[in-house]
Structures are given as C-alpha cells and as structure tokens.
C-alpha cells in the first residue's frame, strides 16, 4: 500500500480532494425517502407514547458500481498509487487484497479500469454472487478460511510470489478518505432537497453499518468539523459481531478486539474494527467557531455505537424490499434495524427530542450494499409460517383454491 507519508491527512478537506479524484469513476447514488418507513420508525413498539420521530433519508450505495460503497475506496487507493509509483510500475507488480466480496469486487473493478493485475483472496464461505462478480474483473482469485489470520496468510503467499502491492479493505487512509466521499455526497444531496423545498437543512444523525470501519471512519472524518451532525455506528451482535461495541462499552479501559469469528448474515461486517478506524472512533476533534470571540469546541468523531440481532436485520431487510422496492443485502439493513428496534438508541433520541420540543429529526441511513441473490433471500425468508400462502397453494380462507384477484 502507499506509505503513510504520502497520504493526505484525515480531514474533511482531504475527503473533498478524494472526491475530485474518483467522481468520474463512481456513481452519484440516490438519496431516497419513504413515508411508510418514517411512520413505522416513528411509532412506539409499546403502549407508551415515548416514540422518537424521524424523517429518514436513505443513501443507496447498493446502487453504486459493483453494488456497494467499496468502489469509492478502491478507486481512490488505485489513483493514489498511480500518482506515487506510476502506472507502468503498478501494472508490472499488480495489487492484492483479501475480502469477503465487496472490496474484492471493487478492487478488481478499479484495477481492471487501469489494466492493473488484481489478486484477490476470498474466504470459501463468501457469497457465490460476490465470487462471480469478482471473476468478472480478474482471473486471479485465491480462497482461504474466513478469519483474518487465514486470509492474511494467503495474501502473504501471493505477495511473495508476485510482488503485488497490498490494498487493505479498510485500515488505510486512502481507503478511509475514499469511503468518506459517501458522506460528502449525501450531504450535498440532502441540502439540495432542502433548498428545493425552501426548508432549512437540519440534519442530525448519520447511521452507518460498521465492519472493519473504513466507511464509518470516513463518514466521521467528513462530519468532524460539523457540531450539529452526529455519526452512529451500527453492528450485528450475533456471535460477537459487535466487536466495537464490546470493546468500547464493555471493556474498562476500552480496548480494540483484534479477532472476530462470527457467521452473522451481515457477511460484510464479519471483520474486526481496524487500528486506524479505532483511533478515529475513540478520539475527538477540536473545532473553532468565531463570533465576537473564538470558541474551541470538542466533538466526538463517533457519537455512539448500537447493535441488533439477526432477526431484526432480517425484518428490516424485508421492510426495505417490500415497502421501498429496494434490493439490499443484510449488511446494508443493519443501520435501519438500529433505528427501528434498538431500544437504547430510540430512547436516547426520544429524550433528546423532548429537550428540543419534540420535533422530528432528519437522519440519514446508509444502505451500504446490495450484493445478495434471490437464493440467499429465499434462504433467509423461506421458513415463513405463511409459506404455503405466499406460494399461492392456500387461499386467504385457508382452502387450496386459486383466487381470482386482479394484480
């Protein structure tokens, strides 16, 4: 990877510079809304009236190239390496990474655009669609076990054999700044919507799935100098998939968990938080506001982290598929699951809103990717108790008769 001495500092301005480098290579993905999901999220799950109120904007990185935000970091890392080493040298050596699928596809795509060989190490349990998507852009695919140690061991073999340059999935400034362009873009789109409606921008929260931390830390960097916008990390809690939450909230003093071994359905989030993202999440940024006097303000880069169960992820994914008609993978549903089901998060928002008069908050939920298959979705939802009804075997009255219903 490019040496840290050559990378840009982790600042909002660097995110903007990164965007200028990659914007011709990536999609400006849509920012969608849903009144139905606003109503569901703003309804109490109990008989009390203590429900937070939300106006949700959905940043749809599932519509990004290769179906996930990872294209942003990959293109930024490649373009920076070209600046540092030169294109000929990079084509001679090639690049290598390890990934369960989204970063694999992204790096293979970015490298192929510049005719650079890409060597990709993937766990054998990777989603078949992600493996095939990677094959679209490179023939150099190697398989490994699912843990970080197993992946990295195969990467070392590839480097020793080929001299390829490692581009890690998340733990590097070039990747972080590239992913941070998601935040810059969504804020521009949000402001455009508000201007069109002649309304004042009042974005409060951005909720993002957290795996290795590249996307979340990039978003934190972009908003680090904006006191009014807070970033919330969202994790699956199955088999310790919420490693940051455990290391940050349940360990005294907080300590990064270096190994994660979980088979959560949110397969893109099965990795431990990297060293650089951990440092970003656990530190503050000082901003200076100047009126008649200068005031230094301390802002937490990451406001908080919350986690959700497999069932909550499944329910959120189903809502998005059925109500929004948007195709996302389980990892992409984790942030919405926190909004809908995490009672600690919902209570915190409710209490903060009451201090401000009870007004609904404008929030952005990141749909990080859409790389799944119909077979995988059937595997998740195929055990419904209403399966026979869904397949049209039984009618609404429970009888095995066909219904004459226009549709």
């Amino acid at each position: 990877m490019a040496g840290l001495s050559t990378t840009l500092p982790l600042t909002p301005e660097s995110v903007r510079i990164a965007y200028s480098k990659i914007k011709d290579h990536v999609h400006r993905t849509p920012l969608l809304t849903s009144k139905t999901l606003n109503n569901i999220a703003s309804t109490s799950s109990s008989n009390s009236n203590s429900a937070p109120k939300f106006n949700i904007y959905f940043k749809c990185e599932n519509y990004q190239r290769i179906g996930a935000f990872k294209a942003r970091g990959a293109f930024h890392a490649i373009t920076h390496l070209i600046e540092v080493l030169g294109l000929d040298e990079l084509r001679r050596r090639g690049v290598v990474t390890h990934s369960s699928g989204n970063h694999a596809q992204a790096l293979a795509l970015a490298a192929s655009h510049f005719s650079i060989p890409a060597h990709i190490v993937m766990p054998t349990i990777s989603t078949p669609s992600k493996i095939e998507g990677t094959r679209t852009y490179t023939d150099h695919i190697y398989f490994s076990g699912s843990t970080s140690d197993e992946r990295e061991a195969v990467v070392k073999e590839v480097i020793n054999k080929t001299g390829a340059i490692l581009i890690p999935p998340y733990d590097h400034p070039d990747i972080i700044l590239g992913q941070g362009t998601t935040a810059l873009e969504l804020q521009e789109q949000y402001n455009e919507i508000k201007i069109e409606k002649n309304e004042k921008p009042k974005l409060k929260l951005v909720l993002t799935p957290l795996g290795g931390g590249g996307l979340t830390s990039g978003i934190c960097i972009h908003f680090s100098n904006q006191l009014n916008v807070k970033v919330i990390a969202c994790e699956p809690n199955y088999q310790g998939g919420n490693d940051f939450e455990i290391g940050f909230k349940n360990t005294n003093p907080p300590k990064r968990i270096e190994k994660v071994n979980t088979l959560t359905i949110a397969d893109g989030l099965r990795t431990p938080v990297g060293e650089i993202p951990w440092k970003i999440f656990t530190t503050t940024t000082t901003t200076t506001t100047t009126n008649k006097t200068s005031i230094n303000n301390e802002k937490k880069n990451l406001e908080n982290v919350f986690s959700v169960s497999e069932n909550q992820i499944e329910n959120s994914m189903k809502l998005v598929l059925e109500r929004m008609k948007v195709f996302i993978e389980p990892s992409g549903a984790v942030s919405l699951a926190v909004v809908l089901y995490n009672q600690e998060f919902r209570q915190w928002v409710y209490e903060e809103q009451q201090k401000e008069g009870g007004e609904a908050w404008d929030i952005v939920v990141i749909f990080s990717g859409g790389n799944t298959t119909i077979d995988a979705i059937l595997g998740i939802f195929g055990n419904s108790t209403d399966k026979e009804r869904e397949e049209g075997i039984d009618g609404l009255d429970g009888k095995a008769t066909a219904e004459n219903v226009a549709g």
Side-chain angles (χ1 to χ4, degrees), residues 176-190:
I176 291 169
L177 292 173
Q179 317 303 25
T181 64
T182 307
L184 183 153
E185 194 172 276
L186 73 84
Q187 189 168 35
E188 288 182 346
Q189 293 168 304
Y190 169 80

Side-chain angles (χ1 to χ4, degrees), residues 60-75:
C60 296
E61 284 295 287
N62 52 306
Y63 293 133
Q64 187 53 264
R65 295 186 71 179
I66 67 89
F69 71 93
K70 294 281 190 176
R72 298 174 182 273
F75 269 105

Side-chain angles (χ1 to χ4, degrees), residues 2 18 23 27 42 45 51 56 80-81 99 104 111 124 126 129 176 181-182 185 230 250 301 334 337 340 363 382-383:
K23 64 181 180 181
H27 297 322
S42 302
S45 57
I56 310 175
H80 183 221
L81 274 176
S99 164
T124 54
S126 296
S129 63
I176 291 169
T181 64
T182 307
E185 194 172 276
K230 294 178 171 61
N250 300 342
N301 292 325
V334 173
L340 296 177
I363 69 172
N383 294 322

Side-chain angles (χ1 to χ4, degrees), residues 203-215:
L203 180 59
K204 285 284 192 175
L205 300 177
V206 176
L207 294 97
T208 173
L210 175 59
L215 175 64

Side-chain angles (χ1 to χ4, degrees), residues 326-388:
V326 171
F327 197 83
I328 61 172
E329 62 185 274
S331 299
V334 173
S335 299
L336 178 59
V338 166
V339 173
L340 296 177
Y341 303 114
N342 187 285
Q343 293 307 310
E344 181 186 356
F345 167 78
R346 290 175 60 82
Q347 185 63 29
W348 169 70
V349 173
Y350 174 76
E351 291 175 359
E352 291 298 311
Q353 288 179 343
Q354 295 312 297
K355 297 175 186 177
E356 301 172 1
E359 184 180 3
W361 280 8
D362 286 0
I363 69 172
V364 173
V365 164
I366 307 290
F367 288 160
S368 55
N371 286 320
T372 188
T373 64
I374 295 298
D375 288 342
I377 291 174
L378 289 175
I380 293 173
F381 300 115
N383 294 322
S384 168
T385 56
D386 295 323
K387 185 176 180 181
E388 289 188 339

Side-chain angles (χ1 to χ4, degrees), residues 58-301:
F58 299 92
K59 181 57 173 169
C60 296
E61 284 295 287
N62 52 306
Y63 293 133
Q64 187 53 264
R65 295 186 71 179
I66 67 89
F69 71 93
K70 294 281 190 176
R72 298 174 182 273
F75 269 105
H76 185 242
I78 288 288
T79 53
H80 183 221
L81 274 176
I82 291 172
E83 292 172 352
V84 173
L85 298 178
L87 184 55
D88 290 341
E89 175 66 4
L90 204 51
R91 285 173 175 167
R92 183 183 71 82
R93 296 178 61 179
V95 294
V96 62
T97 198
H98 60 90
S99 164
S100 64
N102 284 343
H103 179 64
Q105 294 175 85
L107 184 63
L109 166 67
S112 69
H113 179 83
F114 296 100
S115 300
I116 298 167
H119 303 272
I120 311 295
V121 176
M122 305 185 73
T124 54
I125 62 171
S126 296
T127 304
S129 63
K130 294 180 179 180
I131 295 173
E132 292 309 308
T134 305
R135 288 194 196 279
T136 302
Y137 303 108
T138 182
D139 294 326
H140 307 298
I141 297 178
Y142 314 78
F143 292 100
S144 71
S146 60
T147 68
S148 295
D149 286 346
E150 290 170 319
R151 297 182 188 188
E152 291 167 4
V154 179
V155 166
K156 288 180 181 178
E157 293 177 8
V158 173
I159 292 174
N160 290 337
K161 182 178 179 179
T162 66
I165 298 169
L166 174 64
I167 297 184
Y170 48 82
D171 205 4
H172 192 278
D174 287 342
I175 297 294
I176 291 169
L177 292 173
Q179 317 303 25
T181 64
T182 307
L184 183 153
E185 194 172 276
L186 73 84
Q187 189 168 35
E188 288 182 346
Q189 293 168 304
Y190 169 80
N191 289 341
E192 289 167 4
I193 292 171
K194 287 298 187 178
I195 290 172
E196 184 176 337
K197 292 182 176 181
N198 197 28
E199 296 176 355
K200 183 179 178 181
K202 51 180 181 179
L203 180 59
K204 285 284 192 175
L205 300 177
V206 176
L207 294 97
T208 173
L210 175 59
L215 175 64
T216 306
S217 58
I219 291 174
C220 287
I221 292 300
H222 172 74
F223 287 112
S224 61
N225 64 350
Q226 300 182 45
L227 297 174
N228 58 314
V229 182
K230 294 178 171 61
V231 181
I232 302 294
C234 306
E235 293 182 300
N237 58 31
Y238 183 65
Q239 295 180 332
N242 55 331
D243 59 290
F244 179 72
E245 183 178 44
I246 294 170
F248 184 67
K249 289 183 175 180
N250 300 342
T251 305
N252 189 16
K255 184 178 181 181
R256 185 175 75 92
I257 294 175
E258 298 182 6
K259 298 183 187 300
V260 174
N261 189 10
T262 173
L263 291 179
T264 172
I265 58 172
D267 64 296
L269 310 182
R270 290 173 179 167
T271 52
V273 167
E275 292 183 16
I276 298 175
W278 173 270
K279 291 177 182 176
I280 293 170
F281 299 154
T282 56
T283 55
T284 60
T285 296
T286 301
T287 60
T288 302
T289 56
T290 302
N291 241 334
K292 294 182 178 179
T293 59
S294 294
I295 301 175
N296 290 331
N297 302 289
E298 287 288 330
K299 181 193 177 185
K300 291 188 289 186
N301 292 325

